[in-house]
Amino acid sequence: MNREILALAVPALGALVAEPLFVLADSAIVGHLGTAQLAGLSLASNVILTVVGLCIFLAYTTTAQVARLMGAGRERDALQAGLDGIWLALGLGAVLATTLVLTADVTVAALGGTGDVARHAVSYLRWAAPGLAGMLMVNASTGVLRGLRDTRTPLVVAAAGAVANLVLNIALVYGANLGIAGSAIGTMLTQFGMATALAVIVVRGARSRGANLRPHARGILSGARAGLPLVIRTLSLRAAILLTVYVATGLGAVALAAHQVVNSMWGLTALALDALAIASQALVGHALGAADVPRVRAILRRCLHWGVASGAAIGLLMAAGGWFVAPLFTPDDDVRGAIALAFAVCGLLLPVAGYVFVLDGVLIGAGDGRYLAWAGLATLVVYVPCALAVHAWAPPGPVGLAWLWAAFAGAFMAARAVTTGLRARTDRWLVTGA
């Protein structure tokens, strides 16, 4: 079982970290343009990641549906469900991109952006928004391949995308002298390239199994209905993240600029841990489709062991490495100090995150989205007063940022651990069959 989990988790790790690597590359490149540009990127990238995060159900529900159907021996139906998910991603991405372009000014203002910070944030948003359709197609296509227990293909595409993104950003930001807009354009082009590559692979597999390539309204609507509880669950998570950005904005430009780097690194480490959740999604979905409940329980126990141990190891590296990582992103000594202090707080709390992400993946793979939606709302209720307390009483600068991350990585993650842990102890989520 260890070999089977790692065979899925290790390649999934590379694909999962692609998006945070894009943001980290953007942060490193834009950070050397100035503090205002980096702060503007912090606001804009969090908006983009919030929109993409709300649509993560395109990957999660597709993984669960395809895995269950494959476990039940229904290969053609599995690929048909995957194609419907990609069509849903394309349509939803077009609508969201148009909306974000039209509301960029209002969105940045609502997050507290002013002056040069707001100007740079709006510029990034308007150029990056058209790439949303590509981002969502990448999620849906990756979900199909995960359901087929193929995590290597998304890894190859993600690695190529990371290299292309870095080259394009450097060329457009510095070579073409486009500034922060060049970073957004480079990322947008990369996302469309990745979406095309993955969609072609899925289409070839669907044709070989006799699936119909045309969009099916019933399948698309079914996917949307299945994803709605996960949208609510993800909305609560993104609300917590946006609240964190709001509080960081109130702590001053130094804290906000440092928060961009810390948040990017947290996303990278969190998704590294989430690789185990991806493995558990595919394995649990397949086992439930085959009505093998003892195997589901065994997968849960083994993945939890891996999750907590991996969180402890990565957390130790993060806590100790802040002073070495910070100079890569900014020449400002104050921002460097804030980054290092917040890194130490996050690193100490990562084992809890490893536990949470595995349980999340298991319950998503089991199709337990309705419970996760209610649990997400409950954890948000716990976090809001903690974040507002930091906003009201924490001092500006590095110390305030450290308190903010103690609230997010500590109180918020602990609440998620309690709600998902209690659910996993029951049998209510163990629904078998396709």
Side-chain angles (χ1 to χ4, degrees):
M1 184 173 289
N2 283 335
R3 287 194 298 270
E4 191 171 8
I5 291 170
L6 292 177
L8 292 172
V10 173
L13 171 61
L16 280 170
V17 302
E19 191 64 40
L21 283 176
F22 287 179
V23 178
L24 281 172
D26 291 355
S27 300
I29 294 167
V30 173
H32 289 281
L33 295 174
T35 299
Q37 286 89 336
L38 184 58
L41 176 63
S42 179
L43 286 177
S45 64
N46 273 285
V47 173
I48 293 289
L49 291 177
T50 296
V51 174
V52 175
L54 287 174
C55 298
I56 197 63
F57 73 90
L58 293 165
Y60 289 167
T61 58
T62 303
T63 298
Q65 288 174 347
V66 171
R68 272 184 181 266
L69 290 165
M70 291 296 292
R74 296 165 55 184
E75 292 189 9
R76 181 183 179 279
D77 291 339
L79 269 297
Q80 191 66 63
L83 288 174
D84 290 337
I86 294 174
W87 280 111
L88 176 60
L90 179 59
L92 188 59
V95 172
L96 291 173
T98 302
T99 302
L100 194 55
V101 168
L102 296 176
T103 61
D105 287 313
V106 176
T107 302
V108 170
L111 289 173
T114 59
D116 287 341
V117 172
R119 179 169 58 84
H120 292 305
V122 170
S123 177
Y124 188 92
L125 273 180
R126 285 183 171 157
W127 283 105
L132 278 172
M135 295 180 191
L136 299 191
M137 288 180 66
V138 167
N139 282 345
S141 301
T142 299
V144 177
L145 294 171
R146 289 173 183 166
L148 297 173
R149 293 194 286 185
D150 175 10
T151 55
R152 294 186 179 182
T153 299
L155 169 60
V156 173
V157 174
V163 173
N165 181 69
L166 180 62
V167 172
L168 283 171
N169 275 300
I170 293 174
L172 294 172
V173 172
Y174 296 112
N177 200 30
L178 294 178
I180 194 171
S183 177
I185 294 169
T187 300
M188 175 190 66
L189 294 175
T190 300
Q191 291 289 353
F192 275 117
M194 292 172 61
T196 301
L198 288 170
V200 167
I201 293 168
V202 173
V203 167
R204 286 177 179 172
R207 282 180 173 172
S208 70
R209 292 171 173 87
N212 195 322
L213 302 184
R214 292 178 298 176
H216 292 78
R218 180 178 297 180
I220 292 172
L221 290 175
S222 176
R225 283 195 301 268
L228 182 58
L230 289 182
V231 171
I232 297 172
R233 167 255 185 198
T234 305
L235 183 60
S236 67
L237 298 180
R238 298 310 304 185
I241 292 172
L242 284 176
L243 177 58
T244 306
V245 175
Y246 170 76
V247 176
T249 303
L251 295 173
V254 168
L256 181 59
H259 176 74
Q260 166 63 17
V261 176
V262 178
N263 193 45
S264 299
M265 186 60 70
W266 174 266
L268 178 62
T269 56
L271 289 180
L273 294 172
D274 209 29
L276 290 166
I278 295 303
S280 67
Q281 280 180 32
L283 293 173
V284 165
H286 193 275
L288 287 174
D292 190 349
V293 173
R295 177 170 169 77
V296 174
R297 285 292 187 186
I299 292 167
L300 170 61
R301 289 192 298 270
R302 193 62 55 86
C303 286
L304 281 177
H305 293 159
W306 278 102
V308 174
S310 299
I314 297 172
L316 181 61
L317 292 174
M318 187 175 183
W323 286 109
F324 302 99
V325 173
L328 299 175
F329 296 95
T330 177
D332 190 314
D333 288 336
D334 291 334
V335 177
R336 289 181 180 181
I339 291 171
L341 185 58
F343 266 36
V345 173
C346 293
L348 293 175
L349 296 169
L350 266 177
V352 179
Y355 177 84
V356 168
F357 296 147
V358 168
L359 284 178
D360 230 24
V362 168
L363 295 178
I364 289 171
D368 200 23
R370 183 172 298 180
Y371 176 82
L372 289 173
W374 285 108
L377 294 175
T379 56
L380 182 61
V381 169
V382 172
Y383 177 60
V384 167
C386 297
L388 293 181
V390 174
H391 180 69
W393 295 308
V399 174
L401 186 65
W403 276 110
L404 176 59
W405 275 97
F408 180 80
F412 184 58
M413 285 295 163
R416 291 183 65 190
V418 171
T419 54
T420 53
L422 290 175
R423 182 65 166 184
R425 290 178 178 271
T426 73
D427 293 330
R428 295 179 182 177
W429 56 279
L430 291 169
V431 180
T432 60

